Amino acid sequence: MYHKFLDKFPPQFLWGAASAAYQCEGAAAEDGKGPSVWDAFCRIPGKTRNGTTGDTAVDFYHRFEEDIALMKEMGLKAFRFSVSWSRVFPEGEGNINRKGLEFYDHLIDRLLENGIEPMVTLYHWDLPLALQEKYGGWLSRKTADAFVAYAGFLFARWRGKVRWWITFNEQNVFTGLGYRFAAHPPGEKDFRHMMQANHIVNLANARTVRLAHQMDPTFRIGPSFGYGPSYPLNADPGNVLAALNADAFNNDWWLDVYVKGRYPRFVLKHLERLGLAPDIREEDYAILEGARPDFLGMNYYHGGTVQANVFENPQLSKQKTLDTTDPYQMQADMEESPEKVMFETARNPYLESTEWGWEIDPKGFRVALRKMYDRYELPIIVTENGIGTMDVLENGKIHDTQRIEYLRQHLLEMRKAITDGVEVIGYCAWSFTDLLSWLNGYRKRYGFVYVDRDEQDGGTLNRYRKDSFHWYADVIRSNGNSILPERTIDELTEQEWKQVCQK
Ligand code: BGP
């Protein structure tokens, strides 16, 4: 849809930036904090780039006041951060660590004093190690009980101060990478376990959303989902069907449960046939249906392109030597990769990628916003969007033009989506300062603020404003008008308006 004039951003639009505890706080064993699964996982040789850890990270624990002063200078309206569960409950449940709790009390108070809305993520992947060891982590319903108790405690503590809550960050990513691909803790390769852990997180999510609404009707709560829309490689109907399958498998599988309280039918039926569906108890349905988020958080980096699966795609089956005559082998393949009969990934010839192979696709952002809103009709907060680059500090300056261009294009597409009719109420760039990239160390930088540190904990940890810092400050000051060539009808001069009318 082409719009000659774009709608303005709503007046209360939450211009923000995001972070996560493990990636920025450091102070990994300070003031009584208990270890998390990430503190242990990063010590397994070969798991993270050059063995990088979040032990010091960018020292947000000690420097948050300096960072908040920079946020204030920038004019930031909202700051999304996560609470490290084991900093507050070192064992995940039971004893409270007062000092850890007070750190977040101070952080929230300083944000509010500076006119910045705190947006609290309850879980950004750093499960208390004690719960992993005691219960087997998310494979146990006891971990869900502990999570709901932890969330309820924070709700009571920060009622009246915190309005925006995020339950789980990218449930699709941490269950997939953790239980299926062994790239995140707990480092398993078992599709069944992924499904089971995921189901238990779903229960924890629904119970937490319900509890939040019971405790304070002014709370606004929802999950942050890692959303990537699926494109068909071309108009071949087989590929179009593959894209439907990919959306169902990669997106609806989570989002339907959050909003509708049930798993999407096609994927569930497929997994049941294979004996891979999660173990759903009768009482679980009422729990899932008994909660509805107030908004959906979208983390958007890129989507994906797919084509018909190898079994139905003659071109692909020629390239891959497939033995479809052996039912046992097929069942084994399917247990590992049930999507094999649904779709096959493909390279998108229209898109360029970053140095880390992430496609750059601003239009896909509009597609994502449209699709998510279309299916769920809930307000959307973009809880992450940004680009990782190897920024260079030269004479105190960082000219991150690629970031500015990336964000400019994405914000333009977001404004088009708003003009289309999508209700977007906030946007958090990833990230405010540079911070740790889970698997890629410290040289993949995302921030508006450069932090002087290297992979080996060398560097002053001093902060430097990048060019994008000043650019985003302008975006916020103008409520999104500064970057966008298109203007709204309200902004036209009388003369220009007459010309439009005469045409
Ligand atoms: C998201 C995570 C963030 C952040 C971001 C960038 O999936 O929610 O925590 O890490 O991706 O990813 P990376 O650091 O791998 O480049």
Side-chain angles (χ1 to χ4, degrees):
M1 207 180 315
Y2 169 70
H3 304 293
K4 188 157 175 63
F5 302 109
L6 295 180
D7 288 0
K8 280 188 172 174
F9 286 99
Q12 302 307 322
F13 194 77
L14 291 166
W15 292 103
S19 69
Y22 182 73
Q23 295 175 275
C24 72
E25 284 178 4
E30 221 173 295
D31 288 345
K33 176 183 168 291
S36 80
V37 288
W38 269 95
D39 291 316
F41 188 74
C42 68
R43 297 201 148 65
I44 304 172
K47 286 296 184 186
T48 61
R49 190 188 138 77
N50 294 338
T52 37
T53 73
D55 289 359
T56 308
V58 293
D59 202 25
F60 182 71
Y61 189 77
H62 298 112
R63 294 171 192 243
F64 70 95
E65 297 201 329
E66 184 187 344
D67 287 348
I68 291 176
L70 285 166
M71 289 176 205
K72 163 118 175 149
E73 180 188 322
M74 184 190 239
L76 212 65
K77 306 273 189 232
F79 179 55
R80 175 183 174 226
F81 62 91
S82 77
V83 174
S84 155
W85 183 352
S86 62
R87 196 181 285 291
V88 179
F89 290 95
E91 306 278 308
E93 54 187 355
N95 291 338
I96 296 165
N97 175 32
R98 288 278 151 213
K99 278 200 165 169
L101 187 60
E102 280 164 16
F103 163 69
Y104 294 108
D105 287 343
H106 294 149
L107 169 59
I108 290 168
D109 288 344
R110 285 302 94 74
L111 287 169
L112 291 171
E113 282 160 25
N114 287 284
I116 302 165
E117 192 84 47
M119 207 180 264
V120 177
T121 308
L122 295 166
Y123 187 84
H124 203 123
W125 305 352
D126 46 353
L127 181 76
L129 185 61
L131 296 179
Q132 184 65 43
E133 288 173 345
K134 199 152 104 187
Y135 300 136
W138 289 112
L139 287 171
S140 164
R141 287 169 190 249
K142 289 195 177 133
T143 299
D145 294 342
F147 180 79
V148 179
Y150 148 74
F153 176 82
L154 298 188
F155 292 155
R157 179 94 178 174
W158 297 325
R159 196 187 340 220
K161 291 187 175 180
V162 175
R163 179 162 190 246
W164 300 97
W165 299 90
I166 312 271
T167 49
F168 288 92
N169 180 70
E170 295 190 353
Q171 187 181 329
N172 51 334
V173 174
F174 81 79
T175 54
L177 294 185
Y179 290 87
R180 184 181 179 191
F181 297 111
H184 279 197
E188 286 197 36
K189 280 195 177 169
D190 185 330
F191 188 83
R192 272 196 189 83
H193 276 184
M194 174 192 168
M195 286 295 111
Q196 199 51 33
N198 185 61
H199 180 62
I200 288 167
V201 179
N202 280 333
L203 295 172
N205 179 73
R207 289 172 59 192
T208 303
V209 169
R210 198 180 153 92
L211 179 67
H213 289 149
Q214 282 166 349
M215 287 181 71
D216 189 336
T218 67
F219 280 163
R220 293 290 170 266
I221 187 161
S224 273
F225 184 71
Y227 192 85
S230 310
Y231 297 142
L233 182 59
N234 54 34
D236 180 332
N239 295 339
V240 174
L241 195 57
L244 276 184
N245 289 336
D247 265 335
F249 188 80
N250 293 327
N251 297 318
D252 308 348
W253 182 251
W254 283 271
L255 292 169
D256 277 18
V257 180
Y258 293 145
V259 184
K260 302 178 181 177
R262 57 172 187 270
Y263 289 100
R265 190 172 164 76
F266 307 130
V267 182
L268 185 61
K269 209 169 164 213
H270 174 49
L271 295 180
E272 278 171 354
R273 267 191 300 259
L274 293 166
L276 294 175
D279 160 32
I280 307 172
R281 296 185 192 160
E282 204 44 49
E283 63 267 27
D284 294 351
Y285 292 104
I287 295 173
L288 297 180
E289 283 165 18
R292 194 177 148 83
D294 301 296
F295 62 86
L296 287 173
M298 177 193 286
N299 292 359
Y300 175 80
Y301 292 92
H302 58 83
T305 303
V306 297
Q307 55 191 319
N309 65 74
V310 271
F311 302 96
E312 293 176 307
N313 188 338
Q315 267 175 334
L316 270 182
S317 30
K318 258 181 245 148
Q319 288 164 24
K320 304 200 174 186
T321 43
L322 258 187
D323 181 6
T324 52
T325 56
D326 179 349
Y328 295 106
Q329 187 52 44
M330 264 188 85
Q331 174 71 21
D333 282 356
M334 227 52 69
E335 282 177 14
E336 225 174 83
S337 313
E339 66 270 53
K340 238 184 173 163
V341 292
M342 302 175 83
F343 59 89
E344 188 71 24
T345 53
R347 202 188 68 80
N348 190 318
Y350 299 100
L351 298 175
E352 288 184 1
S353 299
T354 68
E355 286 173 69
W356 285 270
W358 292 26
E359 283 171 348
I360 301 176
D361 182 14
K363 276 206 179 68
F365 189 26
R366 186 177 178 187
V367 174
L369 291 164
R370 284 282 299 266
K371 277 189 159 183
M372 193 188 249
Y373 193 68
D374 209 21
R375 197 169 166 98
Y376 304 106
E377 292 189 336
L378 279 175
I380 296 174
I381 300 181
V382 178
T383 39
E384 283 182 32
N385 172 237
I387 184 168
T389 51
M390 292 206 220
D391 301 329
V392 190
L393 174 69
E394 265 175 323
N395 307 321
K397 304 254 183 249
I398 304 96
H399 302 303
D400 55 340
T401 44
Q402 200 187 355
R403 172 160 304 101
I404 293 174
E405 191 47 23
Y406 177 98
L407 293 177
R408 196 190 67 75
Q409 288 182 17
H410 282 74
L411 291 181
L412 182 57
E413 294 302 325
M414 183 170 78
R415 188 165 169 186
K416 287 180 188 168
I418 290 174
T419 309
D420 291 343
V422 180
E423 207 184 332
V424 187
I425 56 177
Y427 172 90
C428 292
W430 183 265
S431 50
F432 184 69
T433 62
D434 289 339
L435 34 66
L436 171 67
S437 167
W438 300 93
L439 304 177
N440 297 294
Y442 288 92
R443 51 179 212 149
K444 188 180 186 188
R445 294 169 181 272
Y446 280 91
F448 294 119
V449 175
Y450 183 95
V451 178
D452 175 30
R453 65 150 297 156
D454 61 23
E455 312 270 74
Q456 284 76 42
D457 280 359
T460 60
L461 293 168
N462 287 344
R463 273 60 172 154
Y464 298 86
R465 296 166 192 79
K466 301 184 192 175
D467 287 355
S468 60
F469 178 97
H470 305 289
W471 173 85
Y472 195 53
D474 273 349
V475 172
I476 299 173
R477 209 174 299 125
S478 65
N479 198 26
N481 286 329
S482 65
I483 33 139
L484 308 171
E486 281 86 341
R487 288 177 299 162
T488 64
I489 291 174
D490 303 356
E491 290 167 317
L492 298 182
T493 63
E494 211 170 318
Q495 189 56 30
E496 285 171 323
W497 176 234
K498 274 189 194 148
Q499 281 171 5
V500 171
C501 295
Q502 281 157 9
K503 272 187 194 156

